[in-house]
């Protein structure tokens, strides 16, 4: 029992009262870590190699005594280096392995880590699992800090006040830390009365104010511009107070609101003396508001050499320069420094400059920067601020420019931004919209937000007089992309028939494509007949879908009938259709036609290997009873070589040519001519002369061909 009391007393010596949870003083850490440099080195090496720290500790423990204080020091060092997940891992291991007798500060440390790594809900569950006799002041203070830090609503406020009340009942309100949490919470909510109440309670309980207490109170008084109370409070506690930069800046704002410019500038100088890089953004803003251009640039020179430099700093600088009417300076910072930086593209920064241009009447510069910015692929944030800026001069806004912007964003596949622009165009109601505007938005909504939202937009937001052929056709295309919406597609198609919108090819193609996927031959045939009745000419999409339907059903007769009808149109079929037709030919034993039809050179080779099996190799193929051949004629060689050349497989054609042996007493020059013609097309004269041919190629007819 004495040992436990001693450990608790020892642990409390290291507890500090700042807003962050700390578990060991820096001197203790130095002693602990210098006591075992070997273990420290191994852990650091494991971290660098992203290896497991627990493995290092387990191995070390097997051959060495593991001091509990050393493990606590590891947790703290990992915490201080922002490796919170690793710190929690070691904390878990320390408890599971019972490395030491746990004291309230251990639980507080673990609570803090769980809160930051796994979230407050898990931290609350951990708190509830701790026996009440081990819930010391440090643990309750950690819980209260978490509630105060996250208080964004009535629930967290109630939890914070309940925890504070519980600490009061348990007699744990002996130090400034819990009071400071409540001061910070009430200050953020702007509750001046509660702040005064907390300060009175501290005085009644003889709890000494610390620097954090004073800073919290000063910020509250500054926020309500109570200059007299603010100055008196500062005078009363000046001896114990180190002013924070947030406090001095808030006090400066209070002085500005009060009209005390001299005192405001004095507070800015005090802020500078703190030399905290985090204060530089605020200093640039406030010097800008005070009209001090040279001071803005001076602070910028300090700020840009710090690690704190980011987009917020550029916003502070450019915003201040624009307030100071220094458009040239803002422009130079934007183009020469920010655009060249590697920071995330932040829409607020070009928006500032665009606004500055417009205020100076530099409309062309504003529009150029606006369009350039909205088309920038690095822009990931919403573009609404830019659009709002664009809409400020509505008299100069051209509908064509906005439509071009939407199209350009679509063409560059920046659909979310295009939808923002399209929606904004519809909402501002500055100029009349046309069906094509609704078509663009309908298409974008489907692609960005989904078909359900697109349906709602069609039903609720498009006026009936705007629902023309293009709008209905866009909706139909959406439905025909999936068999799940077949019924909706058919209903829209029927509606288009009623409205007289079926005089174009597109709706027919959409329905034929859907029916083709579903293998509905009868429906496809009916649509083709209706197209003929309306004198609507098919295109390559129509042909591909129709031929594929009959190919999949191995209806060779109908497939070839349609192919003959459309043969003079000389349209290129889709590869998937050509392959489906080749499969149909193969299934019926027409391997030569299959080779001539397929769009795959690998398929040509496979089919050829089947085709060239001789009668000696296969007298009768049981799987394919139609295979009965004694020899392969020149005609077949011409066919396979032609097929490979059509697929740009010259090497494959040359290999087949190498297999070829002339048949019959008369030599067939057509086979070699296929390759030689290709060589001439490619201007490869050398290969013409080196083509492997039997000596009798050089008869008079063939020689005349090669000497052309």
């Amino acid at each position: 029992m004495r040992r436990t009391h001693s450990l608790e007393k020892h642990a409390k010596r290291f507890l500090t009262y700042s807003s962050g949870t700390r578990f060991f003083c820096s001197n203790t850490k130095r002693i602990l870590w210098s006591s075992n440099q070997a273990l420290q080195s191994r852990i650091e090496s494991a971290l660098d190699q992203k290896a497991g720290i627990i493995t290092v500790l387990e191995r070390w423990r097997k051959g060495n005594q593991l001091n509990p204080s050393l493990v606590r020091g590891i947790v703290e060092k990992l915490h201080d280096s922002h490796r919170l997940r690793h710190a929690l891992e070691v904390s878990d291991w320390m408890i599971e392995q019972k490395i030491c007798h746990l004291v309230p500060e251990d639980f507080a440390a673990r609570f803090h880590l769980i809160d930051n790594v796994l979230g407050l809900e898990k931290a609350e569950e951990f708190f509830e699992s701790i026996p009440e006799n081990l819930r010391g002041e440090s643990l309750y203070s950690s819980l209260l800090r978490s509630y105060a830090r996250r208080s964004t609503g009535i629930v967290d406020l109630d939890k914070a006040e309940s925890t504070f009340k519980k600490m009061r009942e348990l007699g744990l309100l002996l130090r400034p830390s819990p009071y400071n949490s409540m001061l910070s919470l009430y200050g953020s909510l702007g509750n001046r009365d509660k702040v005064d109440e907390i300060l009175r309670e501290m005085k009644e309980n003889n709890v000494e104010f610390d620097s954090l207490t004073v800073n919290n109170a000063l910020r509250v008084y500054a926020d309500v511009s109570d200059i007299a109370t603010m100055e008196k409070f500062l005078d009363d506690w000046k001896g114990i107070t180190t002013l924070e930069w947030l406090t001095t800046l808030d006090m400066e704002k209070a002085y500005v609101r009060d009209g005390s410019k001299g005192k405001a500038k004095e507070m800015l100088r005090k802020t500078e003396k703190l030399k905290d890089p985090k204060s530089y953004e605020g200093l640039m803003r406030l010097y800008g508001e005070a009209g001090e251009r040279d001071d803005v640039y001076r602070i910028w020179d300090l700020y840009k050499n710090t690690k704190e430099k980011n987009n917020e700093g550029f916003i502070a600088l450019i915003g201040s320069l624009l307030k100071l009417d220094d458009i040239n300076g803002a422009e130079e910072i934007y183009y020469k420094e920010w655009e060249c930086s590697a920071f995330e593209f932040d829409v607020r920064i070009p928006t500032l400059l665009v606004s500055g241009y417009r205020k100076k009447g530099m409309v062309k510069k504003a529009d150029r920067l606006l369009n350039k910015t909205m088309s920038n692929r690095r822009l990931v944030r919403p573009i609404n601020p830019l659009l709002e800026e664009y809409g400020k001069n509505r008299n100069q806004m051209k509908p064509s420019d906005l439509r071009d912007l939407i199209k350009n964003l679509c063409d560059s596949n920046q659909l979310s931004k295009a939808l923002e622009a399209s929606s904004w165009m519809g909402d501002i109601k500055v100029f009349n919209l046309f069906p094509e505007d609704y078509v663009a938005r309908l298409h974008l909504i489907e692609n960005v937000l989904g078909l359900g939202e697109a349906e709602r937009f069609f039903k609720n937001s498009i006026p009936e007089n705007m629902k023309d052929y293009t709008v209905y056709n866009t909706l139909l295309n959406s439905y025909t992309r999936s068999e799940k919406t077949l019924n909706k597609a058919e209903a829209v198609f029927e509606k288009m028939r009623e409205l007289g919108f079926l005089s174009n090819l597109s709706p027919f193609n959409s329905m034929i494509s859907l029916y083709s996927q579903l293998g509905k031959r009868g429906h496809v045939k009916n649509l083709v007949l209706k197209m003929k009745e309306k004198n609507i000419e098919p295109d390559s999409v129509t042909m591909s879908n129709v031929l594929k339907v009959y190919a999949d059903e191995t209806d060779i007769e109908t497939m070839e009938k349609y192919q003959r009808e459309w043969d003079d149109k000389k349209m290129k079929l889709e590869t998937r259709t050509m392959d489906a037709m080749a499969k149909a030919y193969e299934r019926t034993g027409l391997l030569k036609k299959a080779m001539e039809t397929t769009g795959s050179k690998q398929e040509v080779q496979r089919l050829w290997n089947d085709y060239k099996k001789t009668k000696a190799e296969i007298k009768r193929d049981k799987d394919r009873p139609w295979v009965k051949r004694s020899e392969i004629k020149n005609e077949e060689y011409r066919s396979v070589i032609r097929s490979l050349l059509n697929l740009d497989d010259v090497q494959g054609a040359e290999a087949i040519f190498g297999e070829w042996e002339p048949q019959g007493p008369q030599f067939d020059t057509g086979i070699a001519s296929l390759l030689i013609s290709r060589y001439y097309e490619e201007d490869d004269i050398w290969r013409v002369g080196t083509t492997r041919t039997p000596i009798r190629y050089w008869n008079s007819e063939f020689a005349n061909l090669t000497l052309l």
Side-chain angles (χ1 to χ4, degrees), residues 327 331 335 350-374 386 389-390 393 396:
I327 188 71
E331 193 175 44
Y335 288 109
T351 302
L352 276 174
L353 188 54
V354 168
S355 180
Y357 281 143
R358 291 202 186 282
K359 286 179 182 176
K360 298 287 287 183
M362 304 164 75
V363 178
K364 288 185 179 179
K365 278 194 170 185
D367 288 345
R368 278 200 299 269
L369 179 56
L370 187 71
N371 289 321
K372 176 184 176 184
T373 301
M374 283 194 279
L386 284 168
E389 186 59 44
Y390 187 71
N393 288 339
Q396 300 176 9

Side-chain angles (χ1 to χ4, degrees), residues 557-579:
E557 183 179 352
T558 308
M559 181 182 80
E560 290 186 334
K561 170 180 168 292
Y562 280 118
Q563 191 174 21
R564 283 192 301 272
E565 285 182 18
W566 296 332
D567 203 31
D568 61 334
K569 300 186 185 303
K570 297 181 181 178
M571 296 180 186
K572 188 173 181 180
L573 294 175
E574 296 175 4
T575 301
R576 66 185 182 94
T577 300
M578 294 168 66
D579 289 342

Side-chain angles (χ1 to χ4, degrees), residues 81-342:
S81 59
H82 305 291
R83 298 178 182 270
L84 301 184
R85 193 169 293 277
H86 288 110
L88 179 58
E89 188 181 352
V90 175
S91 176
D92 287 340
W93 179 79
M94 182 177 74
I95 292 173
E96 290 171 3
Q97 299 298 317
K98 299 179 180 178
I99 299 298
C100 56
H101 177 75
L102 299 177
V103 295
E105 282 66 36
D106 292 320
F107 292 113
R110 183 166 171 73
F111 175 91
H112 173 77
L113 291 169
I114 293 173
D115 183 19
N116 282 274
V117 175
L118 304 178
L120 181 56
E121 187 176 341
K122 291 293 182 182
E124 287 177 314
E125 291 176 8
F126 172 68
F127 180 88
E128 293 298 327
S129 71
I130 301 171
E132 289 196 14
N133 64 318
L134 292 177
R135 297 179 189 177
E137 177 195 12
S138 57
L139 182 59
Y140 273 105
S141 292
S142 293
L143 179 64
L144 181 59
R145 255 192 307 275
S146 295
Y147 288 143
R149 189 169 62 245
R150 287 175 171 79
S151 185
T152 54
I154 191 67
V155 176
D156 286 335
L157 175 61
D158 288 345
K159 287 182 177 181
E161 290 180 331
S162 175
T163 303
F164 189 72
K165 180 181 178 183
K166 182 69 173 179
M167 293 183 73
R168 184 187 291 124
E169 293 170 356
L170 295 173
L172 299 178
L173 297 179
L174 304 174
R175 304 180 187 277
S177 180
Y179 293 104
N180 287 337
S181 293
M182 296 307 293
L183 285 172
S184 177
L185 171 56
Y186 289 133
S188 67
L189 298 174
N191 195 329
R192 160 75 181 273
D193 293 338
K194 282 290 186 180
V195 168
D196 290 338
E197 186 181 311
I198 292 294
L199 293 173
R200 280 196 301 272
E201 184 173 348
M202 290 182 74
K203 289 180 180 178
E204 291 169 2
N205 291 341
N206 295 317
V207 178
E208 288 290 325
F209 290 9
D210 64 6
S211 185
L212 183 58
T213 312
V214 178
N215 276 276
N216 279 332
L218 288 173
R219 282 201 288 272
V220 172
Y221 297 139
D223 189 52
V224 296
S225 298
D226 187 349
I227 303 296
T229 304
M230 179 181 78
E231 291 182 334
K232 183 179 183 306
F233 193 84
L234 180 59
D235 286 339
D236 290 344
W237 298 98
K238 190 180 294 182
I240 67 158
T241 303
T242 300
L243 289 179
E244 298 173 359
W245 66 270
L246 283 172
T247 306
T248 56
L249 291 183
D250 282 351
M251 292 173 72
E252 188 274 345
K253 293 173 189 175
Y255 282 130
V256 169
R257 289 192 295 269
D258 190 53
S260 304
K261 292 185 178 180
K263 288 183 176 181
K265 188 169 287 190
E266 182 183 341
M267 293 311 300
L268 289 176
R269 299 301 185 199
K270 281 187 178 182
T271 307
E272 281 193 59
K273 288 179 181 178
L274 296 174
K275 295 182 178 179
D276 190 330
K278 294 178 181 177
S279 69
Y280 292 156
E281 292 170 13
L283 282 168
M284 283 188 285
R285 287 190 177 94
L286 294 174
Y287 274 128
E289 290 176 4
E292 303 294 339
R293 178 177 177 275
D294 291 341
D295 286 320
V296 171
Y297 278 115
R298 183 172 54 78
I299 298 299
W300 171 251
D301 288 337
L302 294 172
Y303 171 79
K304 68 182 181 180
N305 294 318
T306 69
K307 294 180 180 178
E308 302 294 328
K309 184 179 176 184
N310 56 28
N311 281 330
E312 295 298 330
F314 278 103
I315 291 171
L317 174 63
I318 293 174
S320 295
L321 293 177
L322 291 173
K323 284 180 183 175
L324 294 164
D325 201 29
D326 185 4
I327 188 71
N328 292 331
E331 193 175 44
E332 186 172 346
I333 292 294
Y334 180 88
Y335 288 109
K336 292 186 178 180
E337 296 198 44
W338 183 71
E339 273 203 336
C340 302
S341 73

